[in-house]
Amino acid sequence: MNYQVYFLGAGPGDPDLLTRRAERLLKECRVVYVPPLYDQPFAEFLDGKELFVPFDFYFADLITLIKDQLVNGPIAFLVPGDLTFYSPFQAVVDALGDLAVVVPGVGAANAASALLKKTLDLPGVCSRAILASPRTLGEGPDAPTMGDFAAPGVSLLIYMNNIPLAELVAQLRKGYGKDVPMALAHRVGLPDEEIIVATLDTIVERVGPRDFFNLDSPNPRPALTLLLVGESLTADADPAWWDYRRDNIWKYQDNS
Ligand SMILES: C[S@@+](CC[C@H](N)C(=O)[O-])C[C@H]1O[C@@H](n2cnc3c(N)ncnc32)[C@H](O)[C@@H]1O
């Protein structure tokens, strides 16, 4: 039998956000690769399994180990959020080719939007969303800054922030050209989750001395903090859009 490696979207940390498919496949696997922090919330699902931390291995050794383990049965990787954005597992998926199966899950962006109870695009308010991280924009005078993505009508989702909040906010303020809502979503889906909803002009004071980004810590790992910026965070949807869509889109009957 040819066993496969399941890259299971494990969500932001709450096992209740696993899809039924991911839960079913996880049950089939005796060997599970678990990134740090996921072993505790997922303890009940991992009981009795052989656990490995993927980052304990150099790449070539990891691939060799996985292939050896595959002889005995399927293997699962718990993928934080899922593979869609900023996942470290792409090279592993590529190296495994047909042996890899990717199962989607709930990303930090989905979980934060749910916490805010806000869609991140809204007719007449926000027409586009941009996901970016200052960590991956590159260095040097020609590298873009987060301010380059900020503009009225943009919902901006900032992952793995690594610059001081006041500096980041100054860049965004320039791009938006006005005060707009900003939210800081910390450890979403974990028992100690926090969300601060403020604006560009008030967020620094609201956050105070708390280091939500591990900037003052020797730990180089990105903190579990997602920043969201833009008018959609607090705007109310205009109910007129409902009737407009009903008249122009939803009433249309075509079963093809
Ligand atoms: C390496 S990326 C992984 C993103 C993941 N693939 C996803 O879509 O959720 C890690 C960054 O995602 C965000 N993040 C992941 N989990 C989070 C959580 N539980 N709460 C808040 N932000 C989170 C943070 O910005 C963190 O620095």
Side-chain angles (χ1 to χ4, degrees):
M1 177 152 185
N2 290 328
Y3 296 115
Q4 289 183 294
V5 185
Y6 305 130
F7 291 84
L8 306 176
D14 177 357
D16 264 3
L17 297 179
L18 270 182
T19 63
R20 291 171 63 185
R21 183 176 172 211
E23 185 179 353
R24 180 169 50 77
L25 292 173
L26 181 56
K27 276 194 188 133
E28 285 178 18
C29 298
R30 214 178 61 79
V31 170
V32 185
Y33 284 82
V34 185
L37 299 181
Y38 278 72
D39 51 342
Q40 282 182 11
F42 281 76
E44 182 192 332
F45 295 79
L46 300 173
D47 194 31
K49 298 185 188 289
E50 205 179 341
L51 305 183
F52 296 84
V53 177
F55 313 123
D56 280 351
F57 305 94
Y58 284 108
F59 189 74
D61 298 336
L62 178 64
I63 300 300
T64 305
L65 179 62
I66 291 170
K67 288 190 173 166
D68 287 348
Q69 291 166 330
L70 265 184
V71 173
N72 298 318
I75 296 173
F77 269 72
L78 294 186
V79 180
D82 83 348
L83 195 78
T84 317
F85 298 110
Y86 300 116
S87 176
F89 296 120
Q90 186 62 57
V92 186
V93 171
D94 291 343
L96 292 172
D98 290 344
L99 295 174
V101 175
V102 177
V103 178
V106 174
N110 308 108
S113 153
L115 205 55
L116 289 161
K117 296 199 258 187
K118 290 292 178 187
T119 187
L120 299 178
D121 78 288
L122 201 58
V125 178
C126 279
S127 58
R128 56 220 185 273
I130 297 178
L131 292 96
S133 170
R135 220 178 243 259
T136 61
L137 290 180
E139 310 263 325
D142 296 333
T145 71
M146 294 306 299
D148 294 328
F149 307 119
V154 169
S155 289
L156 195 50
L157 287 88
I158 304 173
Y159 289 72
M160 300 176 286
N161 178 49
N162 64 348
I163 56 180
L165 188 59
E167 196 182 311
L168 175 69
V169 164
Q171 292 180 10
L172 301 174
R173 191 68 172 78
K174 221 165 158 188
Y176 279 104
K178 60 178 178 178
D179 193 20
V180 298
M182 180 166 189
L184 181 155
H186 184 59
R187 296 179 64 86
V188 176
L190 291 156
D192 55 350
E193 79 181 0
E194 284 179 68
I195 189 143
I196 297 174
V197 182
T199 71
L200 288 177
D201 288 352
T202 60
I203 188 103
V204 174
E205 202 184 327
R206 282 285 301 282
V207 167
R210 285 275 304 273
D211 177 17
F212 280 104
F213 307 104
N214 289 348
L215 299 182
D216 301 332
S217 150
N219 178 359
R221 288 189 193 141
L224 291 184
T225 305
L226 182 70
L227 293 167
L228 303 96
V229 197
E231 297 97 321
S232 64
L233 300 189
T234 54
D236 286 328
D238 179 354
W241 281 99
W242 183 277
D243 294 343
Y244 173 84
R245 289 189 183 117
R246 184 171 146 65
D247 283 343
N248 295 285
I249 304 170
W250 298 333
K251 262 177 24 183
Y252 182 72
Q253 293 287 334
D254 182 355
N255 296 326
S256 64

